[in-house]
Amino acid sequence: MTEMTASVTAARPPSDITKRSLPASLIIHALLIAASLLMLYPLLWMVSASVRPETEIFSSTSLIPSSIDFSSYARGWIGLDVSFGRFFWNSLVISLLVVTGNVIACSLTAFAFARLRFAGRNFWFAIMLGTLMIPYHVTLIPQYVLFLDLGWVNTILPLVVPKFLASDAFFIFLMVQFFRGIPRELDEAAMMDGCSAWRIYWKIMLPLSLPVLATAAIFSFIWTWDDFFGPLIYLNDMNTYTIQLGLRTFVDSTSASDWGGLFAMSTLTLVPVFFFFLFFQRLLIEGIATTGMKR
């Protein structure tokens, strides 16, 4: 009976199958497009509001402004006591340092857990995974007291230095899973040729791990670029503000708020994240798809 059904299906013209599935495909695509537009509407409205006259920002929900006015960009860039370019530079420096620290420190730690044998490896790996369940706010006060005693408050050091100490357990776990999928025969062959553990890490593991490294770099950049709470706690001087703190200065509950400048600068802050993601998109998808899979 099964063979007969298979033969009938095979004998059915492909055009019949295509005609029957075409209406369902059109409905699915229409629903997906509608859902995409619904999710993109707030973003598109923000971009539209950034070029509206100040008096029309909250008077209409339309995405098409009645007139184009780019004065909000000039006002937002130089309208504060500190140029918004300074905020961009601060965020860029912090984000790139965090990316560098996470990629180097987390890959070294993951290599040790995945490839090296040492006493208590499973125990320390379990402890590392346990830190994923600890909320950031639980360790906030002890960390702040420590950084205050070190004299690091109002500097970028509390936001950057912990990343060079492999403090992000999520990326360590991600890389461990990826490293375990790389055949151990490569390590054994390299050791027979006289390679040390450091050379195996540098010459073999890193070149084969570009997808997972790119995944860690992208997430580190986006999370750091969008971080508001960390800079709010540790940065007090306006000259050290990141873009998120800079955006907050446009809104004042006790006086007039510059909504046009806020939306204009918010639009500009999306540009680096967009291009960073676009540049590493292929490696990001490959890293997520292959993590944890045996090769």
Side-chain angles (χ1 to χ4, degrees):
M1 186 66 180
T2 304
E3 296 178 356
M4 183 181 299
T5 303
S7 61
V8 172
T9 304
R12 184 181 301 169
S15 59
D16 293 345
I17 300 176
T18 304
K19 290 179 181 178
R20 291 184 179 182
S21 61
L22 183 60
S25 178
L26 291 175
I27 294 175
I28 292 175
H29 281 78
L31 292 176
L32 291 175
I33 293 173
S36 300
L37 293 176
L38 182 63
M39 290 185 292
L40 288 174
Y41 175 79
L43 177 63
L44 297 177
W45 186 89
M46 181 187 71
V47 176
S48 175
S50 68
V51 294
R52 292 176 185 267
E54 188 77 17
T55 56
E56 299 181 6
I57 291 180
F58 295 110
S59 62
S60 174
T61 58
S62 174
L63 297 179
I64 302 176
S66 60
S67 60
I68 303 297
D69 183 10
F70 289 100
S71 62
S72 296
Y73 285 87
R75 189 173 65 252
W77 192 264
I78 61 175
L80 301 175
D81 295 336
V82 178
S83 171
F84 209 85
R86 180 67 180 180
F87 304 149
F88 261 89
W89 174 253
N90 293 338
S91 291
L92 183 62
V93 170
I94 294 174
S95 299
L96 292 180
L97 289 176
V98 167
V99 168
T100 303
N102 273 337
V103 170
I104 295 176
C106 292
S107 62
L108 279 171
T109 306
F111 174 76
F113 280 129
R115 286 304 208 244
L116 303 182
R117 293 182 174 87
F118 54 90
R121 181 181 66 172
N122 294 334
F123 170 77
W124 292 114
F125 186 69
I127 293 296
M128 184 272 299
L129 290 180
T131 61
L132 289 172
M133 296 181 288
I134 301 177
Y136 172 73
H137 305 82
V138 173
T139 59
L140 176 62
I141 295 178
Q143 285 182 354
Y144 184 85
V145 173
L146 173 62
F147 295 140
L148 182 63
D149 292 339
L150 293 175
W152 289 3
V153 174
N154 203 29
T155 69
I156 67 173
L157 295 179
L159 304 174
V160 172
V161 172
K163 307 304 179 181
F164 285 87
L165 302 177
S167 61
D168 283 321
F170 171 75
F171 295 129
I172 298 175
F173 175 73
L174 191 71
M175 293 180 186
V176 166
Q177 295 302 105
F178 192 93
F179 289 167
R180 286 175 176 173
I182 298 177
R184 283 187 174 271
E185 289 78 4
L186 297 176
D187 299 20
E188 297 171 357
M191 292 177 65
M192 292 179 63
D193 289 338
C195 285
S196 62
W198 169 255
R199 291 195 64 187
I200 292 174
Y201 161 79
W202 185 254
K203 296 293 185 179
I204 297 177
M205 301 300 291
L206 287 188
L208 294 176
S209 305
L210 288 181
V212 72
L213 296 179
T215 302
I218 291 174
F219 282 125
S220 295
F221 185 87
I222 294 176
W223 292 346
T224 305
W225 188 266
D226 293 338
D227 185 26
F228 174 78
F229 190 68
L232 177 65
I233 296 298
Y234 295 111
L235 303 179
N236 303 320
D237 185 3
M238 196 171 186
N239 289 301
T240 63
Y241 277 9
T242 60
I243 55 173
Q244 305 304 328
L245 297 182
L247 291 175
R248 188 194 62 165
T249 59
F250 286 103
V251 180
D252 191 348
S253 59
T254 61
S255 61
S257 300
D258 186 3
W259 295 106
L262 172 63
F263 292 133
M265 294 302 99
S266 297
T267 302
L268 291 182
T269 58
L270 296 177
V271 175
V273 176
F274 174 77
F275 281 103
F276 196 85
F277 175 82
L278 190 66
F279 184 76
F280 291 105
Q281 180 182 12
R282 181 182 61 83
L283 292 175
L284 172 65
I285 296 174
E286 184 179 348
I288 296 177
T290 58
T291 297
M293 296 177 59
K294 296 295 182 181
R295 298 187 179 185

